[in-house]
Amino acid sequence: MVNRTSKVKKIGILTGGGDCPGLNAVIRGVAKPAHDNGLQVMGILDGFEGLVEGKVCELYNKDVSGILARGGTILGSSNKGDPFHWPEEFDGEIKIKDRSKAALRNYEAWDLDALIAIGGDGTMHISQKLSDMGMNIVGVPKTIDNDLEATDQTFGHDSAIYVVSEAIDRLHTTASSHHRVMVIEVMGRYAGWIALHGGLSGGADVILVPEIPFEWDAIYDKVTSRHMMGKRFSIVCVAEGAKPKGGEMVVKAKDMKRTDPIQLGGIGELVAKNISENTGLETRFTVLGHLQRGGSPTPYDRILSTRFGTHAIELAIKKKFGRMVALKGNEIKSVWIKDAISKQKLVHKEHQTLLAANAVGVSFGVEEL
Ligand code: F6P
């Protein structure tokens, strides 16, 4: 059985789910102090997939040197490696199996005293279940979507909104030169934080988020009235999960190997088509896609990731397991993983940032907020 009494000497670390800027900075933030405290650090490859399939390598100091600014993850990641929802293909048919015992076997065989799991909502759900099976887990919240209630911010979000903001700056020049409506579709899944923060910082005129189903006429009115006022262009920032009142989210594809099979995408194109057909204004759309997840983390994310990583190893050394590091105000604290996964953080109509955007004239695609 897993030993909770002796000193922590050997830890594992993995990155789960979609990649995002700052993962390597967390790995470095965990490994450097771990080495300084005489701990051995094992890097588990490709997220939980590596834990189930036994893919591991030791991380030495040289491996975590010079990776602070590097995007992606040196460990690899996967969003299909849920040990409790393990897809296997038989005769072209996907069967879902429970491989959690294999994950526990490897954890014990590698003699790990703790596992640092870096990931989003999905990773934290898996972590909680593995923790219930006896693994000593410390979670670190990652996601460009920023949709974890338990932390004021996840790392990766700031880098994503920097990309959105810069992209909108670029779209502005074509929008104003050609007097066009430019629609930009951004990520975020079921939460509108990327659209709200990226759209506001880029100066979008309309921001559509999943939490506020929009009215088509409100969008047409906004872009036409701007045109009539002599502002002959508009920028519309659409979250991939945005949907019209009474309508559904636009699903691009389904991947049954994933715990959540839905792949969103396509609403930007639909919004652009409808604006063009209903207002007569020349309209173009851009889907920003994975550009939002790639590249080097912003200084804010490098700092947050480092603070998260160093706090996570401190928790592991102190044997405060089953906890996830979290930003609360300006301090790094920790919360129970089981509490962290109980609530998704969504944009609401009274949020100060949304109200500030509205006060400077941004439309959320509704006649009244
Ligand atoms: O959760 C991060 C995220 O980038 C979402 O914003 C997006 O819906 C999803 O992952 C895309 O996943 P994938 O990289 O598997 O297409």
Side-chain angles (χ1 to χ4, degrees):
M1 201 50 215
V2 182
N3 192 345
R4 284 183 188 255
T5 49
S6 63
K7 222 172 150 213
V8 171
K9 292 196 229 56
K10 192 176 183 186
I11 60 149
I13 181 166
L14 64 78
T15 51
D19 70 337
C20 88
L23 285 166
N24 288 324
V26 177
I27 295 169
R28 173 179 177 270
V30 169
K32 284 199 168 198
H35 290 143
D36 286 347
N37 280 279
L39 270 67
Q40 205 180 344
V41 182
M42 306 303 290
I44 296 159
L45 307 180
D46 302 333
F48 288 109
E49 203 174 292
L51 189 61
V52 170
E53 294 191 327
K55 296 185 275 183
V56 75
C57 67
E58 181 156 2
L59 287 181
Y60 298 98
N61 197 276
K62 67 170 174 37
D63 300 313
V64 295
S65 248
I67 63 168
L68 173 65
R70 202 190 300 172
T73 160
I74 57 165
L75 295 175
S77 193
S78 165
N79 32 28
K80 292 178 190 157
D82 181 346
F84 301 90
H85 186 98
W86 188 268
E88 268 174 22
E89 218 163 317
F90 296 99
D91 296 334
E93 209 187 312
I94 296 162
K95 292 238 163 76
I96 303 300
K97 298 214 159 171
D98 183 347
R99 300 283 314 275
S100 54
K101 286 203 178 110
L104 186 61
R105 261 198 310 276
N106 282 326
Y107 175 90
E108 289 177 335
W110 296 332
D111 230 0
L112 298 181
D113 297 308
L115 173 65
I116 312 267
I118 312 167
D121 192 43
T123 299
M124 294 309 141
H125 271 93
I126 297 168
S127 297
Q128 181 56 46
K129 290 199 225 165
L130 293 174
S131 168
D132 293 339
M133 289 172 75
M135 279 192 209
N136 296 334
I137 303 213
V138 174
V140 181
K142 161 239 74 164
T143 167
I144 61 164
D145 304 340
N146 199 32
D147 59 351
L148 288 181
E149 180 68 40
T151 180
D152 289 351
Q153 187 138 337
T154 52
F155 74 86
H157 181 65
D158 188 67
S159 304
I161 62 174
Y162 180 81
V163 172
V164 175
S165 175
E166 213 207 344
I168 295 180
D169 285 350
R170 289 172 189 273
L171 291 175
H172 258 108
T173 58
T174 304
S176 67
S177 307
H178 289 265
H179 318 302
R180 284 178 180 164
V181 178
M182 302 297 268
V183 177
I184 177 168
E185 179 184 305
V186 301
M187 283 184 166
R189 257 187 128 57
Y190 309 119
W193 298 109
I194 297 181
L196 176 61
H197 292 149
L200 179 59
S201 59
D205 307 295
V206 179
I207 298 176
L208 305 177
V209 295
E211 297 88 341
I212 307 175
F214 60 83
E215 298 150 18
W216 288 109
D217 284 340
I219 303 173
Y220 308 149
D221 288 352
K222 177 71 183 179
V223 296
T224 335
S225 69
R226 278 180 55 80
H227 210 75
M228 277 159 44
M229 281 159 66
K231 300 175 177 182
R232 297 177 58 206
F233 70 90
S234 292
I235 304 280
V236 182
C237 180
V238 191
E240 61 181 357
K243 55 175 186 275
K245 257 188 190 163
E248 298 293 329
M249 291 182 185
V250 182
V251 176
K252 188 164 63 184
K254 284 191 180 173
D255 182 349
M256 299 321 285
K257 290 186 177 166
R258 291 163 65 150
T259 318
D260 179 356
I262 287 177
Q263 210 184 330
L264 294 168
I267 185 68
E269 185 173 4
L270 180 67
V271 167
K273 180 174 166 283
N274 282 357
I275 290 177
S276 164
E277 285 176 6
N278 289 278
T279 65
L281 295 170
E282 197 178 5
T283 308
R284 295 285 190 273
F285 74 93
T286 302
V287 180
L288 213 45
H290 290 84
L291 290 174
Q292 293 157 98
R293 289 221 316 245
S296 186
T298 56
Y300 179 90
D301 273 337
R302 293 179 199 190
I303 295 167
L304 183 61
S305 302
T306 303
R307 293 179 75 196
F308 274 170
T310 53
H311 200 77
I313 188 65
E314 200 180 311
L315 288 176
I317 290 170
K318 289 183 179 157
K319 298 181 155 193
K320 296 200 169 163
F321 303 126
R323 298 192 71 82
M324 182 190 87
V325 299
L327 178 71
K328 299 279 186 190
N330 200 27
E331 269 187 80
I332 308 293
K333 301 202 165 169
S334 72
V335 294
W336 292 109
I337 297 176
K338 66 173 174 321
D339 294 335
I341 57 179
S342 63
K343 204 163 168 226
Q344 206 183 13
K345 181 164 67 185
L346 296 172
V347 174
H348 58 85
K349 285 185 181 174
E350 290 76 38
H351 194 277
Q352 272 198 341
T353 310
L354 184 136
L355 294 175
N358 198 232
V360 294
V362 174
S363 163
F364 286 87
V366 283
E367 288 306 341
E368 232 171 282
L369 259 186

